[in-house]
Amino acid sequence: MTKEKILTYACRYTDFYKEKFSGFSDNCNWLDLPIVSKSEILHAGISIISNLYYKEFYNNNLMNDYTSGTTGECLEIYTTRAEEVAKLLSLWKYRKKYYGINTSDKFCYFYTYHSNVQDSNWDYNERSLGISKEYLLQEHLEEIYLKIYQFNPKWLLLQPSIAMILSRYIFEFGVDIIPSLQYIELTGEFFTAEQKKFISSAFEVPVASQYGSNEIGTIAYECPCGNMHIMENNVHVDIMPVKEKDKTDYTNGKYGHLIITAKNNKVMPFVRYDIGDIGRLRNVNCNCGHDTPIIELYGARKDDMIQLKGGGQLSANVFRKIFRQVMNVIDGTIFQYQVIQKNIDDFLIMLATDEDKICVENAIYFFLNQTILKHAKLKFEFYMYIIPDKKIGKHRFFVNEKV
């Protein structure tokens, strides 16, 4: 469906959107419509469910899933199997076109929680092998990698932090790469170009990124040219500028809040939905032949803000820039990092690196002193691996405990 048809449907069949968009006519400017927040949907109850599906809802005939809870709010999502298939059609089309991956190909993945897996660290079936993130500890890496190796997958679906852990295991222990493996797909977390190159080098296969969410499905997918193309059959994407004064200019190529309208969610519609990420849209003539706009993510969510004295805020992306600069001047590698703001001007820096610790600390302080955070106090902790957060199943590069 088009975004306009989705809007008409949502306003007709859900009480939430009927009230949210009341006062807006059918011919109003799309960009003048209100933005829907995750918190609003979280607290909407059954009013967000289409009344055409009330019977299935009350009879427990709908599929349900949950968002990861990265923002601190875990949202329950309802859908049908047909909708789930529709959300994946474009993704499977381009997996096959770009990387030769079919629905029947064996793959491995890591899961946070499976209701069908009772007291087990593994979820086997003929086509897939799932591994519990709870089991992802340093002492289990040998067993985990051996299980994946023996399963003979054609591809892996991984969070970047987990892919980095497995890649380091390959390099540092000199184990054989998986002979059947042809492709790795990264999803769920932001990552750097250096990390992507490291993962591809370790497994000796192409690596691509898929950007999406549990509630929406795939939003964009990376072609072999390195561009993230919007899956226009599944979503419509708007940009809401960060600054209110730029509101009338949505096509200026500047970074802003990503506002998503899902085209395949009729049970629980998402219209003008603020997904919580920052990015920009660009039209490019891509050599892959896919002519949809591309999306460039900022690398930090809109909530990844450092609290400053006096109530001001600064994007946590400043730390990404610092670590990029540090990587350019040290001999070793920073494989993973996490920054936790404990208080104003008080940060914990967690690192997984093969470089001398004092050298890394001095380099971070050097580049930090060139920013507005030059008076900050840093505490460093060094780890072999930084494991994804057990609660949300993801690795967040910045956590603000001051908020």
Side-chain angles (χ1 to χ4, degrees):
M1 288 195 288
T2 64
K3 66 181 189 295
E4 291 82 7
K5 287 183 177 179
I6 285 290
L7 172 62
T8 300
Y9 172 90
C11 291
R12 179 177 299 170
Y13 295 113
T14 72
D15 293 336
F16 173 82
Y17 285 104
K18 189 180 299 182
E19 179 178 350
K20 180 72 177 179
F21 294 139
S22 63
F24 288 87
S25 62
D26 292 340
N27 58 357
C28 70
N29 187 333
W30 175 265
L31 299 178
D32 288 334
L33 292 171
I35 304 300
V36 175
S37 70
K38 183 174 183 178
S39 181
E40 285 180 290
I41 293 182
L42 184 71
H43 295 95
I46 196 172
S47 71
I48 195 68
I49 304 295
S50 166
N51 57 42
L52 296 180
Y53 291 89
Y54 276 6
K55 182 178 180 180
E56 287 82 355
F57 177 82
Y58 285 115
N59 289 333
N60 295 318
N61 290 331
L62 296 173
M63 297 177 63
N64 71 314
D65 197 0
Y66 296 86
T67 59
S68 62
T70 305
T71 63
E73 298 176 313
C74 189
L75 175 66
E76 187 170 14
I77 310 134
Y78 292 94
T79 185
T80 65
R81 185 167 298 278
E83 287 187 346
E84 287 299 301
V85 171
K87 286 192 284 187
L88 289 169
L89 282 178
S90 292
L91 177 60
W92 278 111
K93 172 185 175 181
Y94 287 104
R95 277 175 177 162
K96 181 177 181 179
K97 176 181 178 180
Y98 294 149
Y99 306 105
I101 301 300
N102 294 295
T103 56
S104 59
D105 292 328
K106 294 170 65 176
F107 75 105
C108 295
Y109 65 99
F110 285 74
Y111 60 87
T112 304
Y113 170 77
H114 267 185
S115 59
N116 62 313
V117 182
Q118 300 295 326
D119 300 321
S120 173
N121 297 312
W122 317 94
D123 183 15
Y124 284 102
N125 67 45
E126 184 179 351
R127 192 175 66 88
S128 66
L129 167 62
I131 303 128
S132 171
K133 292 177 185 176
E134 292 281 348
Y135 198 62
L136 183 61
L137 300 171
Q138 184 175 342
E139 57 264 32
H140 299 149
L141 281 179
E142 181 178 1
E143 180 187 5
I144 288 172
Y145 189 80
L146 181 60
K147 292 274 191 182
I148 295 174
Y149 188 96
Q150 292 174 338
F151 189 71
N152 290 318
K154 187 173 180 179
W155 65 291
L156 305 178
L157 179 63
L158 302 174
Q159 284 78 24
S161 57
I162 295 176
M164 284 296 294
I165 291 171
L166 296 178
S167 298
R168 287 187 61 195
Y169 178 77
I170 291 172
F171 277 127
E172 293 169 7
F173 290 89
V175 297
D176 293 337
I177 59 173
I178 303 164
S180 58
L181 195 68
Q182 296 184 24
Y183 165 70
I184 294 175
E185 187 169 302
L186 302 179
T187 188
E189 302 167 358
F190 293 111
F191 59 93
T192 65
E194 292 79 11
Q195 288 175 323
K196 178 183 175 184
K197 183 178 179 180
F198 185 82
I199 295 164
S200 181
S201 176
F203 284 95
E204 298 183 5
V205 297
V207 175
S209 175
Q210 183 236 131
Y211 169 56
S213 69
N214 284 357
E215 61 265 48
I216 301 295
T218 303
I219 297 170
Y221 185 58
E222 184 179 8
C223 74
C225 299
N227 290 319
M228 295 285 292
H229 292 274
I230 292 176
M231 297 286 99
E232 289 193 321
N233 288 334
N234 191 49
V235 296
H236 172 80
V237 182
D238 296 310
I239 301 293
M240 183 179 72
V242 175
K243 297 180 180 179
E244 184 68 21
K245 66 182 179 64
D246 296 330
K247 189 174 181 180
T248 58
D249 186 4
Y250 280 74
T251 59
N252 57 13
K254 294 181 180 179
Y255 286 101
H257 304 303
L258 296 179
I259 309 301
I260 312 297
T261 298
K263 296 182 177 181
N264 294 297
N265 297 56
K266 294 178 72 175
V267 173
M268 187 174 177
F270 289 85
V271 182
R272 298 277 287 160
Y273 175 63
D274 187 348
I275 199 167
D277 292 328
I278 296 174
R280 65 177 178 179
L281 300 181
R282 291 179 56 220
N283 290 305
V284 299
N285 294 319
C286 187
N287 291 331
C288 76
H290 196 173
D291 59 0
T292 61
I294 67 168
I295 193 168
E296 294 179 349
L297 297 174
Y298 183 58
R301 295 177 63 87
K302 70 173 187 178
D303 297 322
D304 290 339
M305 302 300 291
I306 298 167
Q307 300 300 311
L308 303 175
K309 288 181 179 178
Q313 292 185 322
L314 176 70
S315 170
N317 237 28
V318 65
F319 279 108
R320 287 191 183 277
K321 295 176 182 177
I322 290 171
F323 283 108
R324 193 177 303 121
Q325 292 169 314
V326 170
M327 288 284 287
N328 288 333
V329 300
I330 63 174
D331 293 327
T333 299
I334 297 177
F335 299 106
Q336 295 170 281
Y337 59 84
Q338 186 175 56
V339 179
I340 301 176
Q341 182 172 17
K342 294 290 187 176
N343 212 323
I344 297 295
D345 285 344
D346 185 4
F347 298 88
L348 170 63
I349 311 293
M350 302 169 63
L351 296 157
T353 179
D354 60 359
E355 178 59 278
D356 177 77
K357 296 177 182 178
I358 300 300
C359 179
V360 172
E361 290 180 12
N362 289 339
I364 291 174
Y365 267 118
F366 176 82
F367 290 109
L368 184 77
N369 286 335
Q370 300 175 32
T371 74
I372 194 175
L373 300 175
K374 60 185 177 181
H375 298 299
K377 300 175 184 178
L378 305 182
K379 178 182 178 182
F380 294 91
E381 292 182 358
F382 292 86
Y383 298 88
M384 184 68 176
Y385 306 103
I386 298 178
I387 305 298
D389 185 284
K390 291 294 190 295
K391 183 178 179 180
I392 64 174
K394 293 183 180 182
H395 170 75
R396 296 184 62 186
F397 93 94
F398 178 77
V399 177
N400 190 337
E401 293 185 352
K402 171 63 178 173
V403 177

